[in-house]
Amino acid sequence: MDFAHGAPAAVRESRGHAGVGRARVVAVTNQKGGVGKTTTAVNVSAELARRGRRVLLVDVDPQGNATTGIGLDKAQITRCMYDVIMKAADVREVVRPTSIPGLHVAPATLNLAGAEIELVAALSRELRLRNALAGCLADYDDVFIDCPPSLGLLTLNAMSAADVLVVPIQAEYFALEGLGQLTQVIGLVREQLNPAVRIAGVVITMFDGRTNLAMQVVAEVERYFPGLVFATRIPRTVRLSEAPSHGMPIATFDPKGRGAAAYAALAEELLARA
Ligand SMILES: Nc1ncnc2c1ncn2[C@@H]1O[C@H](COP(=O)(O)OP(=O)(O)OP(=O)(O)O)[C@@H](O)[C@H]1O
Ligand SMILES: [Mg+2]
């Protein structure tokens, strides 16, 4: 695939989605907490923007970690994805630029926690996000949705809005716990809400190849998701955990480090696959 600088149009044409001039929507999801969803959503988004693609990072986690991790100050945010999902605000009204050219973010604040409850009684409660994003898909090449650690309505909204899913799995004991429930919910979403959605890939995160345990976990995940595990594994590095507190993606914070190299490779693999 060609990522030559100065050829963004060519890069855009090469994107994987069915060539209809609309963004491909990727939801980064796993109901397990702390597995690297936000780190993956932020860094793959930033990497694709650095390659000249127009990228929107949508934060649907009330924790707002993607929002702050990419450098926004939550205190400055008056309207967020809560207003889009619950108050029918236009997503373009809440979108903010970031320090990375080509990367925009649709932020989340704690207000969004209310949506998880309010959605229960709402009309088209699983399709709010899909409908809200429809109007801006022509403006981007890629949309990444950072999901909360639950299988609640915000995650169902993300899965319903997505073309493909990326599932981060931490290379640790109990890594497979909860995957049955996750695949069951993905099956239900395919049956009832979004028949075309599929897993683009499973990414092993916080990987330490020096331990037998990590190697065993990779083998088990490969058995569970045959053919779906990305060849790129994200190493455990302190730099990746430090970057969000500086509001920077790893490509800016530590461009020569292992984390930046890994997320660049993952972005490339995802483009080739999705
Ligand atoms: N490869 C890595 N190496 C070291 N630390 C990492 C790595 N990936 C993520 N972390 C750190 O691990 C913690 C959890 O990561 P992250 O926030 O991306 O997970 P998450 O799945 O989004 O969590 P949550 O479920 O709470 O939303 C964070 O402190 C993050 O900085
Ligand atoms: Mg997160």
Side-chain angles (χ1 to χ4, degrees):
M1 204 155 289
D2 175 19
F3 298 114
H5 274 294
V11 173
R12 283 203 285 275
E13 272 165 28
S14 74
R15 81 190 146 71
H17 190 261
V20 283
R22 93 190 239 299
R24 177 201 38 216
V25 182
V26 181
V28 183
T29 192
N30 184 340
Q31 79 276 22
K32 201 162 179 187
V35 296
K37 292 180 289 295
T38 302
T39 306
T40 298
V42 164
N43 287 304
V44 176
S45 297
E47 182 57 30
L48 292 177
R50 268 169 30 87
R51 293 169 183 228
R53 295 169 69 91
R54 303 163 303 168
V55 184
L56 175 62
L57 174 60
V58 180
D59 194 348
V60 297
D61 182 355
Q63 297 179 102
N65 293 339
T67 300
T68 45
I70 202 64
L72 265 69
D73 177 1
K74 273 196 222 162
Q76 308 283 316
I77 297 166
T78 48
R79 303 218 299 163
C80 80
M81 284 306 294
Y82 173 81
D83 301 275
V84 172
I85 291 172
M86 296 314 305
K87 302 287 178 201
D90 189 324
V91 69
R92 279 172 287 205
E93 293 168 29
V94 310
V95 161
R96 302 290 190 89
T98 69
S99 60
I100 315 294
L103 177 59
H104 291 172
V105 59
T109 67
L110 256 185
N111 284 351
L112 188 58
E116 196 73 83
I117 300 140
E118 292 168 44
L119 275 171
V120 173
L123 279 178
S124 358
R125 60 184 190 172
E126 294 99 353
L127 299 173
R128 294 285 182 106
L129 182 61
R130 182 192 184 97
N131 294 337
L133 291 178
C136 77
L137 294 185
D139 301 341
Y140 297 100
D141 298 309
D142 306 282
V143 173
F144 283 86
I145 307 172
D146 185 29
C147 291
S150 80
L151 288 169
L153 280 165
L154 287 168
T155 293
L156 286 181
N157 266 269
M159 289 182 179
S160 301
D163 297 303
V164 295
L165 310 174
V166 166
V167 179
I169 295 182
Q170 188 179 343
E172 55 144 36
Y173 198 59
F174 295 135
L176 273 71
E177 197 183 61
L179 289 182
Q181 205 186 4
L182 177 63
T183 47
Q184 198 181 352
V185 168
I186 295 170
L188 289 172
V189 169
R190 285 171 61 93
E191 267 171 39
Q192 298 180 22
L193 297 163
N194 184 7
V197 74
R198 63 187 173 83
I199 297 179
V202 171
V203 56
I204 306 285
T205 60
M206 299 179 234
F207 177 74
D208 180 351
R210 294 168 304 181
T211 71
N212 284 335
L213 174 63
M215 299 307 291
Q216 279 165 24
V217 169
V218 170
E220 280 178 32
V221 173
E222 275 167 354
R223 265 199 300 278
Y224 197 91
F225 291 107
L228 282 180
V229 182
F230 288 110
T232 307
R233 295 166 192 159
I234 308 300
R236 181 183 285 283
T237 87
V238 173
R239 306 296 273 164
L240 273 171
S241 63
E242 290 170 342
S245 63
H246 299 266
M248 288 182 204
I250 197 67
T252 314
F253 182 66
D254 183 28
K256 301 222 181 307
R258 289 185 302 143
Y263 273 112
L266 180 64
E268 201 154 327
E269 238 190 295
L270 178 62
L271 275 187
R273 241 190 224 205

